[in-house]
Amino acid sequence: MDICLAVAILGMLAVVSARFDLLATRQNTGSVIVNDGDTVTLNGERIRLIGMDAPEYMQACNKGGIDYPCGRQAREALVRLIAGRSVTCEGSKRDRYGRLLAVCNAGGVDLNRAMVEQGWAVAYGDYGDAERMARDRRAGIWAGTFEQPSDWRASHHRNAEPRHDAGNWLFDWLREVLRFW
């Protein structure tokens, strides 16, 4: 029994130590493909901008009684912010879809914060001050009415993403440690 327990403990330690490389903060720099208002592909890796949530690409919002493609406009806003410059993304967690959750910068601009400040994303665990400013200015999606992106995903038969805030750090860490590829 003691031998089995020792083997089990050593096995768990081996799994945990093998996963520590995935828990380290990663920094990636290069040109990106903008997938939508909060997701980019950088050097072949999909990255989700953490702390904010932009309308889904196919999502529509309403301004003055007229629907408009706010998801597409959010993507275009991120493309304009990047303006063809090299992007640096830094993060250490992954979401349940395997995307790196990161803060990204281009030319000294925090893209996550800028998307919220410009009103093309809602605060999603971070950037509450930027959202208040955008809401007060009625910028971007705040100029009219819209469905929260997580609610839109849920109502369109897609699983809503979990919040990526400090409250989920233990769950995220355990999932990352125990993930097998």
Side-chain angles (χ1 to χ4, degrees):
M1 185 68 163
D2 290 339
I3 292 174
C4 289
L5 182 59
V7 168
I9 290 172
L10 289 174
M12 289 296 288
L13 288 173
V15 168
V16 169
S17 65
R19 303 307 294 175
F20 275 123
D21 66 313
L22 295 175
L23 297 175
T25 298
R26 290 177 210 49
Q27 187 176 49
N28 206 345
T29 301
S31 60
V32 297
I33 296 169
V34 178
N35 304 99
D36 60 25
D38 57 21
T39 308
V40 297
T41 301
L42 175 59
N43 298 328
E45 181 174 27
R46 286 180 53 92
I47 298 173
R48 167 76 163 71
L49 280 64
I50 193 170
M52 50 82 92
D53 194 16
E56 292 298 316
Y57 185 74
M58 297 304 294
Q59 185 173 345
C61 298
N62 189 288
K63 182 178 177 184
I66 299 170
D67 287 344
Y68 69 96
C70 60
R72 288 186 182 135
Q73 289 184 4
R75 181 189 178 279
E76 291 167 7
L78 184 55
V79 168
R80 283 191 305 274
L81 282 169
I82 294 168
R85 297 179 292 210
S86 180
V87 173
T88 299
C89 295
E90 186 172 318
S92 61
K93 300 182 215 173
R94 291 193 178 271
D95 67 9
R96 66 179 169 179
Y97 305 108
R99 297 176 298 188
L100 180 65
L101 300 171
V103 173
C104 297
N105 292 277
V109 174
D110 177 338
L111 299 173
N112 306 45
R113 176 173 288 282
M115 286 294 288
V116 177
E117 284 176 348
Q118 291 185 6
W120 291 112
V122 296
Y124 200 59
D126 293 319
Y127 309 116
D129 59 329
E131 180 181 296
R132 281 187 293 283
M133 290 184 339
R135 190 182 297 213
D136 290 346
R137 290 189 336 269
R138 301 196 52 79
I141 58 178
W142 300 106
T145 60
F146 64 94
E147 189 174 6
Q148 289 288 330
S150 58
D151 294 339
W152 189 90
R153 284 188 298 273
S155 70
H156 286 78
H157 308 292
R158 293 179 61 189
N159 292 330
E161 294 178 30
R163 290 186 67 84
H164 304 295
D165 56 17
N168 288 337
W169 72 268
L170 180 60
F171 176 73
D172 291 340
W173 182 83
L174 285 171
R175 184 182 63 238
E176 194 66 29
V177 167
L178 299 175
R179 177 180 289 154
F180 288 97
W181 301 101

